[in-house]
Amino acid sequence: MSRTALSTFLTLAIAARFALAQPDPADPTPLVDKTYSYPGGIPYQVDYNTAAIRGPQTGYNICNSTTENQESLCQTSFVNQIDDFCLWAPASPNSTIADTEQSEVAWCTKNGHGTRVIPPGALTGVQYLRTPNYVQIAGYLDQTKLDIAAGDYGGELDPHGADLRGNPLGGLMYSNVYPSSNTDNNTYTQIIDWNSFIGGNIFCIKICDPSSSSSDQTEYCQNIYDELGCSYNMPNNGQNGTFEVCDADNMYPVGIYTSGGQTLTYSQPYTGVVSPPYTATPPASSNCVQYASDALYSATASSSTSAGASPTGTSGSSGSGSSSGTSGTGSGSGSSGAASVGVSAAAGLAGVAFAMAIFA
Ligand SMILES: *[C@@H]1O[C@H](CO)[C@@H](O)[C@H](O)[C@H]1NC(C)=O
Ligand SMILES: *[C@@H]1O[C@H](CO)[C@@H](O)[C@H](O)[C@H]1NC(C)=O
Ligand SMILES: *[C@@H]1O[C@H](CO)[C@@H](O)[C@H](O)[C@H]1NC(C)=O
Ligand SMILES: *[C@@H]1O[C@H](CO)[C@@H](O)[C@H](O)[C@H]1NC(C)=O
């Protein structure tokens, strides 16, 4: 499919999905249109809360040493490097993502962001991919260490939602990897579009380059395939037990596949069985460098600095085309694509029920 045709398809698909999404009259500015310089421009809470359909925002966006503890309700997050990123997870133990999607808080691999710290040993395998248009981190974890109930297959978190106020409400994302000319690692740029899946002891999170065109950001950080999980939204070759950083090509946009020489499109249905007629293929990757987890994640809730990690070896190319690996990373787990699609339906269905409640 030509790039123009591809963009048209995506625009239509997104328009169809957003026909259901409407701004909340009490808080009409979509979260993705709320931009703040870091750190000085950020208000205490970015979600207005006033008589809104959902809410109020449960946490806050100004995060500092006072808020840096394991009860933190910080909702300002980061995706920087393999040893410096945050995941969105519940604030209270034994919670499901579907029940808490609007109130997730930031859990980070290191101190310094005013957040909770991901407990040592929670991450059991992580693959960090740098691509032309986005950075993606996918991996394995013991989700109970991040307050997610054992056995919860989770769902998608992103700055959209049926009322465009985000899941979590008011969640902000920043990074020091953009613009690419920024090499001091101390300049943080707001990420406009991002998405994440967590559950089934796997996770994936992606940030789209905020200096790229808005259509590219929409294309690579789509939020309309929320029941397809990591394996379709963020195809990867991550392995449990391996910690690596690779360069990679951009993925093929979700929902577009070839069959019998034709380029076809798959749209996730609003109701009924979610059964994509293709298997997503991880993009080609190269220059992979592997690390020991201890070198990456030595932070505890009390230490404040982290030395740079030392590589333990190089694995060269992860290759492409293999769908083994963290690919399981569905919003479901696993080894079986069918299972990973099916189990994630809980969060997706909750989303549909919510949309119906708003527009009934
Ligand atoms: C630290 O963060 C808290 C919570 O957002 C905020 O109330 C407080 O004013 C902040 N402190 C400073 C010095 O910015
Ligand atoms: C988590 O919650 C479920 C459902 O309420 C309960 O059955 C289970 O015992 C809880 N597990 C823990 C570890 O508290
Ligand atoms: C910035 O971070 C990258 C990745 O961790 C590292 O390779 C680089 O040396 C850092 N740059 C500076 C100036 O610290
Ligand atoms: C990943 O590996 C750890 C450590 O071996 C294991 O406990 C865990 O069950 C594995 N996770 C998944 C999702 O297979």
Side-chain angles (χ1 to χ4, degrees):
M1 185 185 291
S2 75
R3 204 170 163 82
T4 307
L6 184 59
S7 292
T8 303
F9 160 71
L10 290 166
T11 303
L12 291 174
I14 289 163
R17 181 61 184 258
F18 281 4
L20 270 179
Q22 296 286 333
D24 184 330
D27 193 355
T29 306
L31 179 59
V32 292
D33 292 336
K34 296 180 178 180
T35 56
Y36 312 96
S37 60
Y38 181 86
I42 299 178
Y44 178 67
Q45 290 179 318
V46 309
D47 192 86
Y48 300 139
N49 298 325
T50 318
I53 294 166
R54 291 194 300 162
Q57 179 176 359
T58 52
Y60 37 76
N61 299 103
I62 293 180
C63 308
N64 51 43
S65 55
T66 307
T67 67
E68 187 162 291
N69 54 63
Q70 295 307 86
E71 284 76 49
S72 184
L73 299 180
C74 176
Q75 292 176 316
T76 296
S77 188
F78 299 85
V79 168
N80 296 325
Q81 304 296 337
I82 189 173
D83 63 344
D84 184 10
F85 66 94
C86 314
L87 296 173
W88 295 110
S92 307
N94 200 22
S95 302
T96 67
I97 297 296
D99 284 348
T100 59
E101 61 178 9
Q102 68 184 55
S103 59
E104 310 304 5
V105 299
W107 295 68
C108 303
T109 58
K110 65 196 292 189
N111 289 284
H113 298 309
T115 66
R116 299 181 186 215
V117 167
I118 295 173
L123 300 174
T124 58
V126 178
Q127 186 189 54
Y128 180 104
L129 298 183
R130 287 178 296 239
T131 82
N133 280 80
Y134 60 87
V135 163
Q136 167 183 307
I137 309 179
Y140 293 79
L141 80 168
D142 175 353
Q143 66 188 28
T144 63
K145 290 189 160 74
L146 275 66
D147 285 354
I148 303 173
D152 177 35
Y153 285 96
E156 182 174 7
L157 302 165
D158 61 60
H160 300 277
D163 57 8
L164 307 180
R165 291 166 60 200
N167 284 306
L169 289 168
L172 295 181
M173 180 71 75
Y174 288 84
S175 180
N176 65 13
V177 304
Y178 296 119
S180 51
S181 56
N182 169 35
T183 52
D184 68 8
N185 296 345
N186 290 319
T187 304
Y188 288 88
T189 301
Q190 187 172 355
I191 301 303
I192 304 304
D193 223 339
W194 55 268
N195 66 344
S196 177
F197 290 80
I198 190 165
N201 284 332
I202 48 187
F203 71 89
C204 56
I205 188 162
K206 176 194 276 183
I207 57 169
C208 275
D209 181 349
S211 63
S212 64
S213 71
S214 63
S215 62
D216 276 350
Q217 293 179 62
T218 303
E219 187 167 313
Y220 292 111
C221 281
Q222 292 199 53
N223 64 305
I224 60 172
Y225 291 95
D226 59 348
E227 292 183 24
L228 302 192
C230 292
S231 56
Y232 284 86
N233 285 279
M234 305 189 207
N236 67 85
N237 291 309
Q239 304 288 328
N240 198 7
T242 299
F243 298 82
E244 66 179 2
V245 176
C246 306
D247 293 323
D249 292 345
N250 285 328
M251 66 179 285
Y252 214 56
V254 196
I256 297 178
Y257 63 103
T258 54
S259 178
Q262 282 186 294
T263 300
L264 302 169
T265 57
Y266 170 74
S267 301
Q268 178 185 300
Y270 293 119
T271 56
V273 178
V274 174
S275 178
Y278 72 102
T279 301
T281 305
S285 57
S286 59
N287 300 324
C288 295
V289 178
Q290 297 189 349
Y291 297 86
S293 68
D294 288 353
L296 298 174
Y297 310 119
S298 54
T300 64
S302 59
S303 70
S304 62
T305 54
S306 164
S310 309
T312 55
T314 57
S315 66
S317 170
S318 272
S320 82
S322 159
S323 56
S324 64
T326 314
S327 42
T329 312
S331 106
S333 78
S335 38
S336 141
S340 77
V341 169
V343 289
S344 65
L349 291 175
V352 170
F354 170 61
M356 289 167 62
I358 286 186
F359 302 110

